[in-house]
Amino acid sequence: MLYTVAEFAPESDLSPARQSARFRAWLEQVERHFGEPEWVFVDPAAKHFRTQLFDDGLVTYPAHNAKDGGIQTLNALMAVDRIAVSDACSHLIEHVPGYLWDAKAAARGVDEPMKVDDDELDAWRYVVYSTRRFWRGQVSVAPAFDHAPGVRDGDEFADAA
């Protein structure tokens, strides 16, 4: 079983320096309750934030943000009841029901989520999919859900800082 026990949900208009300070303060609280995380994954599009974290002494890894593989992996985990979310993750819980599929993309035969209030779900997808090679031996899901087309294992660490 995979557990989502904490979430970081800052205001979106923070500078990278302020966001880094808030993230590191949040991470200290997480460490007190759950121990030091082995990895910190950050959205690969957040290059300035990753750079600031690195400058502040925190090594991060670019999250694997494959939509198809990540969504399929989350769906598979939920379908076999192998993922749980703590009630401490109120932003994630609040936004799960609002994760909507784009009707225009569906008309073209493409499964595409709407880009509305999706930060929490994207972050959840990124961390679950980025860590899959570490948990998939203990948490059973269909191997077909483990790979997005054109994605190789290990890609998530290709740009490590």
Side-chain angles (χ1 to χ4, degrees), residues 86-104:
S86 165
D87 59 4
C89 301
S90 60
H91 291 94
L92 175 60
I93 292 168
E94 176 186 336
H95 288 96
V96 167
Y99 204 55
L100 304 173
W101 299 100
D102 187 332
K104 291 179 184 177

Side-chain angles (χ1 to χ4, degrees), residues 39-158:
W39 320 280
V40 173
F41 291 98
V42 177
D43 182 345
K47 291 178 183 168
H48 296 296
F49 179 50
R50 272 194 77 215
T51 299
Q52 184 66 55
L53 288 169
F54 182 79
D55 290 347
D56 292 338
L58 184 61
V59 175
T60 66
Y61 300 93
H64 200 308
N65 62 353
K67 282 185 197 159
D68 293 341
I71 291 170
Q72 288 175 352
T73 299
L74 276 174
N75 284 341
L77 288 164
M78 287 187 278
V80 295
D81 201 25
R82 297 285 191 252
I83 193 163
V85 177
S86 165
D87 59 4
C89 301
S90 60
H91 291 94
L92 175 60
I93 292 168
E94 176 186 336
H95 288 96
V96 167
Y99 204 55
L100 304 173
W101 299 100
D102 187 332
K104 291 179 184 177
R108 297 189 316 267
V110 177
D111 286 334
E112 184 79 28
M114 299 283 290
K115 294 301 297 171
V116 178
D117 288 330
D118 63 346
D119 292 340
E120 289 79 9
L121 281 126
D122 284 349
W124 193 37
R125 172 172 53 94
Y126 295 169
V127 73
V128 168
Y129 196 62
S130 295
T131 60
R132 71 194 183 286
R133 70 182 187 160
F134 301 105
W135 55 258
R136 69 179 167 208
Q138 291 86 32
V139 180
S140 177
V141 294
F145 295 130
D146 205 57
H147 301 283
V151 175
R152 300 181 321 268
D153 274 347
D155 284 350
E156 61 268 21
F157 294 106

Side-chain angles (χ1 to χ4, degrees), residues 12-33:
S12 60
D13 60 346
L14 296 177
S15 69
R18 290 193 64 148
Q19 191 171 9
S20 174
R22 290 204 180 155
F23 179 78
R24 289 178 290 109
W26 171 83
L27 192 57
E28 286 179 18
Q29 288 185 4
V30 168
E31 289 175 9
R32 278 195 291 273
H33 294 311

